[in-house]
Amino acid sequence: MNSIKFKNNRLYYLDQKELPLREVWRECRNLRDGFQATRDLQIRGAPLIGVFAAYCVCIHANNMDLKKEDFLKNLRYDIAYLKTCRPTAVNLAWALNRIEKVIEKNSKDSVQQIKQALLKEAKAIHAEDVALCERMGNFGAKLIKKGDRILTHCNTGALATSGKGTALAVVFKAKELNKDIYVYADETRPLLQGSRLTAWELMKKKIPSSVICDNTAAYLMQKNQVNKVFVGADRIASNGDTANKIGTYSIAVLSKYHKIPFYVVAPFSSFDLSIKSGKQIPIEERSGSEVKKVLNKLYVAPKAAKTISPAFDVTPHKLITAIVTDRGLVYPPYTKNIRKIFGV
Amino acid sequence: MNSIKFKNNRLYYLDQKELPLREVWRECRNLRDGFQATRDLQIRGAPLIGVFAAYCVCIHANNMDLKKEDFLKNLRYDIAYLKTCRPTAVNLAWALNRIEKVIEKNSKDSVQQIKQALLKEAKAIHAEDVALCERMGNFGAKLIKKGDRILTHCNTGALATSGKGTALAVVFKAKELNKDIYVYADETRPLLQGSRLTAWELMKKKIPSSVICDNTAAYLMQKNQVNKVFVGADRIASNGDTANKIGTYSIAVLSKYHKIPFYVVAPFSSFDLSIKSGKQIPIEERSGSEVKKVLNKLYVAPKAAKTISPAFDVTPHKLITAIVTDRGLVYPPYTKNIRKIFGV
């Protein structure tokens, strides 16, 4: 399963806004296409956005038939513009910073050589993302026992990365190892990434699963139907506090109450060791229309109603059983063990 | 604010499926209209369904121009049929049982006299419901302090009863007393009674409020934005265990963790002293289409996805701070104090 394809110097992507009802592949023909697709969430998931943006720069470069000076000037300007399409996604800036370094390093070469160097770097970023997912999947699957019933939140699979995913990579690996798992996918209001995307991925991989409303997780826990929770992360502070999709903190508290292990799965690039705790992570407040008008199509509240619609919440480290990274498992005490696993 | 009107021997109801975007009043002209409106949730909320059904029988009786023997035969048969339109709503059977008793008691009278007796009983049921709501509101409002920020779930207001409501009656009373409250309304997936109906009622009454996704309650609690929770009940066992709309148990656990008082508001008719604990309350599993296709209009999951969609969950009594009834407040130990307040 792939969410993007780069073939014969053309970039294609699966439009995630059309899922799960239609599988529509679109071509990203230029920088504007890429900007729009990312901002409109046709392409989403922090790791995937980074890989897609790197390829998008290659397409853009190939489209330009300019002398070197103008080529470089335009390219630098347009990359800076592309970075702004989703300012909170860490991996977008991270991937484009790598692309910019390649431009500077090769700026003495011919336009053709620079184009080749850009493509090489984009492919490297892509390959690395695939490898990180594999490693998280392998480490995380060791935590799963035969017959485990796993709850997950939002979408953390092949649609969120260019590989197998983060939390869902663990699930996929467990399936490969015939661990006979069952997965509950929180629908994840307001944007429904769980019911639209995670359910779709699980069905594609023939993993037995059910979609539940977010408010039903506690009911299943009460009935001993959930025995492990795996979620992704948008940013992890030095002390292990984890920002992730709104609703994650709720599940963490419910897991604690029901004595269910709660695992976060994230690659090294999701850790922000420049901040001490989750208190320093800014929480993006999104438009109330996402709550009031489902998928921008159906009103489910008075148009004038006020809303509170944070995109993320922060789960304190004390509620996290372990963090699955591409370097291995990290257990408490997190401040010490996170520094240790990343060798800093 | 009313959700039904009985005027000049005609029965009108506010179609709750059209809310909040349109306020459409419809006439219930016969038994079939009443059956359909209740089953399709145009009319909902346990107390309201009972009052509406009682009036519906009056309309039906008035439509019949039959000799007494046939009149009684048809009436008895049709009431039994009407009881089946929503088998889990306790108040429907409760109200129709009262109507049946009136028929038996007056079966020696003329058809015209029976019709008059039916109407008198329907009006009595209606008036009692209004009075119960008032009493719950008054008792509950004593728990609310100036500036309280209250979380509620589902719809428990004027749309769920023929009076002010249960949990929302408490909120309305607090507003009348100028207690300067703020209310968060859980949207309450899958049928969105919170965002569609509660938000609409709160706005009508000019009570400052916000709609939140169900998964956002914990976030607000973490930020000390909620300091009391009020919910309704569908059935309360002898020991205080309470069945209510799915998601209620989740809020109860989150309230416990954040040390926030959690109150249930329900009239005497919601108590089932024939059962010892919540374990004996059957939980209705509803159609997965309610989860996958929002308001039967918009697919938000793969059509073939499996779902778990319980309509209710059970909150253990140990998570409940107090129960607000029409007879007063009940505190733990519940088994003793519930019997005491109802004098049994």
PDB file of all heavy atoms in Angstrom, chain A residues 232-247:
ATOM      1  N   GLY A 232       0.087   7.431  17.832  1.00  0.00           N
ATOM      2  CA  GLY A 232       1.237   8.135  17.279  1.00  0.00           C
ATOM      3  C   GLY A 232       1.577   9.362  18.104  1.00  0.00           C
ATOM      4  O   GLY A 232       1.141   9.491  19.251  1.00  0.00           O
ATOM      5  N   ALA A 233       2.387  10.251  17.526  1.00  0.00           N
ATOM      6  CA  ALA A 233       2.771  11.475  18.233  1.00  0.00           C
ATOM      7  C   ALA A 233       3.064  12.570  17.228  1.00  0.00           C
ATOM      8  O   ALA A 233       3.581  12.302  16.146  1.00  0.00           O
ATOM      9  CB  ALA A 233       3.999  11.231  19.094  1.00  0.00           C
ATOM     10  N   ASP A 234       2.729  13.792  17.605  1.00  0.00           N
ATOM     11  CA  ASP A 234       3.099  14.941  16.781  1.00  0.00           C
ATOM     12  C   ASP A 234       4.343  15.635  17.307  1.00  0.00           C
ATOM     13  O   ASP A 234       5.103  16.206  16.552  1.00  0.00           O
ATOM     14  CB  ASP A 234       1.939  15.930  16.676  1.00  0.00           C
ATOM     15  CG  ASP A 234       0.876  15.379  15.750  1.00  0.00           C
ATOM     16  OD1 ASP A 234       0.005  14.637  16.224  1.00  0.00           O
ATOM     17  OD2 ASP A 234       0.950  15.651  14.534  1.00  0.00           O
ATOM     18  N   ARG A 235       4.515  15.593  18.618  1.00  0.00           N
ATOM     19  CA  ARG A 235       5.735  16.128  19.208  1.00  0.00           C
ATOM     20  C   ARG A 235       5.915  15.542  20.602  1.00  0.00           C
ATOM     21  O   ARG A 235       4.965  15.483  21.372  1.00  0.00           O
ATOM     22  CB  ARG A 235       5.680  17.657  19.297  1.00  0.00           C
ATOM     23  CG  ARG A 235       7.087  18.194  19.378  1.00  0.00           C
ATOM     24  CD  ARG A 235       7.293  19.660  19.613  1.00  0.00           C
ATOM     25  NE  ARG A 235       6.455  20.650  19.002  1.00  0.00           N
ATOM     26  CZ  ARG A 235       6.808  21.956  19.009  1.00  0.00           C
ATOM     27  NH1 ARG A 235       7.973  22.324  19.514  1.00  0.00           N
ATOM     28  NH2 ARG A 235       6.003  22.861  18.519  1.00  0.00           N
ATOM     29  N   ILE A 236       7.137  15.099  20.910  1.00  0.00           N
ATOM     30  CA  ILE A 236       7.430  14.536  22.231  1.00  0.00           C
ATOM     31  C   ILE A 236       8.503  15.392  22.891  1.00  0.00           C
ATOM     32  O   ILE A 236       9.565  15.621  22.315  1.00  0.00           O
ATOM     33  CB  ILE A 236       7.902  13.072  22.114  1.00  0.00           C
ATOM     34  CG1 ILE A 236       6.835  12.226  21.392  1.00  0.00           C
ATOM     35  CG2 ILE A 236       8.217  12.494  23.491  1.00  0.00           C
ATOM     36  CD1 ILE A 236       7.249  10.785  21.126  1.00  0.00           C
ATOM     37  N   ALA A 237       8.206  15.872  24.100  1.00  0.00           N
ATOM     38  CA  ALA A 237       9.163  16.710  24.834  1.00  0.00           C
ATOM     39  C   ALA A 237      10.226  15.843  25.515  1.00  0.00           C
ATOM     40  O   ALA A 237      10.099  14.615  25.589  1.00  0.00           O
ATOM     41  CB  ALA A 237       8.422  17.547  25.869  1.00  0.00           C
ATOM     42  N   SER A 238      11.263  16.491  26.035  1.00  0.00           N
ATOM     43  CA  SER A 238      12.388  15.790  26.679  1.00  0.00           C
ATOM     44  C   SER A 238      11.942  14.852  27.789  1.00  0.00           C
ATOM     45  O   SER A 238      12.563  13.825  28.044  1.00  0.00           O
ATOM     46  CB  SER A 238      13.353  16.806  27.300  1.00  0.00           C
ATOM     47  OG  SER A 238      13.825  17.689  26.340  1.00  0.00           O
ATOM     48  N   ASN A 239      10.866  15.232  28.485  1.00  0.00           N
ATOM     49  CA  ASN A 239      10.413  14.414  29.621  1.00  0.00           C
ATOM     50  C   ASN A 239       9.384  13.364  29.224  1.00  0.00           C
ATOM     51  O   ASN A 239       8.817  12.693  30.080  1.00  0.00           O
ATOM     52  CB  ASN A 239       9.829  15.327  30.712  1.00  0.00           C
ATOM     53  CG  ASN A 239       8.512  15.955  30.300  1.00  0.00           C
ATOM     54  OD1 ASN A 239       8.159  15.933  29.121  1.00  0.00           O
ATOM     55  ND2 ASN A 239       7.804  16.511  31.256  1.00  0.00           N
ATOM     56  N   GLY A 240       9.119  13.230  27.908  1.00  0.00           N
ATOM     57  CA  GLY A 240       8.194  12.203  27.440  1.00  0.00           C
ATOM     58  C   GLY A 240       6.762  12.685  27.250  1.00  0.00           C
ATOM     59  O   GLY A 240       5.939  11.970  26.671  1.00  0.00           O
ATOM     60  N   ASP A 241       6.432  13.873  27.732  1.00  0.00           N
ATOM     61  CA  ASP A 241       5.087  14.427  27.478  1.00  0.00           C
ATOM     62  C   ASP A 241       4.855  14.444  25.968  1.00  0.00           C
ATOM     63  O   ASP A 241       5.729  14.885  25.215  1.00  0.00           O
ATOM     64  CB  ASP A 241       4.968  15.863  28.005  1.00  0.00           C
ATOM     65  CG  ASP A 241       4.969  15.946  29.527  1.00  0.00           C
ATOM     66  OD1 ASP A 241       4.967  14.885  30.185  1.00  0.00           O
ATOM     67  OD2 ASP A 241       4.980  17.083  30.049  1.00  0.00           O
ATOM     68  N   THR A 242       3.665  13.993  25.545  1.00  0.00           N
ATOM     69  CA  THR A 242       3.433  13.770  24.114  1.00  0.00           C
ATOM     70  C   THR A 242       2.210  14.511  23.594  1.00  0.00           C
ATOM     71  O   THR A 242       1.094  14.305  24.067  1.00  0.00           O
ATOM     72  CB  THR A 242       3.244  12.254  23.863  1.00  0.00           C
ATOM     73  OG1 THR A 242       4.465  11.585  24.179  1.00  0.00           O
ATOM     74  CG2 THR A 242       2.890  11.977  22.402  1.00  0.00           C
ATOM     75  N   ALA A 243       2.435  15.367  22.595  1.00  0.00           N
ATOM     76  CA  ALA A 243       1.311  15.992  21.893  1.00  0.00           C
ATOM     77  C   ALA A 243       0.882  15.055  20.775  1.00  0.00           C
ATOM     78  O   ALA A 243       1.713  14.534  20.027  1.00  0.00           O
ATOM     79  CB  ALA A 243       1.717  17.340  21.312  1.00  0.00           C
ATOM     80  N   ASN A 244      -0.404  14.823  20.701  1.00  0.00           N
ATOM     81  CA  ASN A 244      -0.946  13.998  19.607  1.00  0.00           C
ATOM     82  C   ASN A 244      -2.382  14.453  19.366  1.00  0.00           C
ATOM     83  O   ASN A 244      -2.914  15.316  20.070  1.00  0.00           O
ATOM     84  CB  ASN A 244      -0.867  12.502  19.980  1.00  0.00           C
ATOM     85  CG  ASN A 244      -1.148  11.596  18.796  1.00  0.00           C
ATOM     86  OD1 ASN A 244      -0.687  11.837  17.686  1.00  0.00           O
ATOM     87  ND2 ASN A 244      -1.946  10.560  19.009  1.00  0.00           N
ATOM     88  N   LYS A 245      -3.007  13.886  18.376  1.00  0.00           N
ATOM     89  CA  LYS A 245      -4.379  14.232  17.972  1.00  0.00           C
ATOM     90  C   LYS A 245      -5.316  14.360  19.168  1.00  0.00           C
ATOM     91  O   LYS A 245      -5.263  13.573  20.097  1.00  0.00           O
ATOM     92  CB  LYS A 245      -4.881  13.128  17.041  1.00  0.00           C
ATOM     93  CG  LYS A 245      -6.281  13.300  16.493  1.00  0.00           C
ATOM     94  CD  LYS A 245      -6.437  14.549  15.670  1.00  0.00           C
ATOM     95  CE  LYS A 245      -5.468  14.573  14.505  1.00  0.00           C
ATOM     96  NZ  LYS A 245      -5.271  15.913  13.924  1.00  0.00           N
ATOM     97  N   ILE A 246      -6.185  15.355  19.143  1.00  0.00           N
ATOM     98  CA  ILE A 246      -7.155  15.560  20.213  1.00  0.00           C
ATOM     99  C   ILE A 246      -7.893  14.236  20.503  1.00  0.00           C
ATOM    100  O   ILE A 246      -8.307  13.545  19.582  1.00  0.00           O
ATOM    101  CB  ILE A 246      -8.159  16.693  19.853  1.00  0.00           C
ATOM    102  CG1 ILE A 246      -9.119  16.961  21.009  1.00  0.00           C
ATOM    103  CG2 ILE A 246      -8.921  16.405  18.570  1.00  0.00           C
ATOM    104  CD1 ILE A 246      -8.480  17.574  22.230  1.00  0.00           C
ATOM    105  N   GLY A 247      -8.027  13.941  21.791  1.00  0.00           N
ATOM    106  CA  GLY A 247      -8.659  12.689  22.202  1.00  0.00           C
ATOM    107  C   GLY A 247      -7.662  11.680  22.734  1.00  0.00           C
ATOM    108  O   GLY A 247      -8.034  10.741  23.442  1.00  0.00           O
TER     109      GLY A 247
END
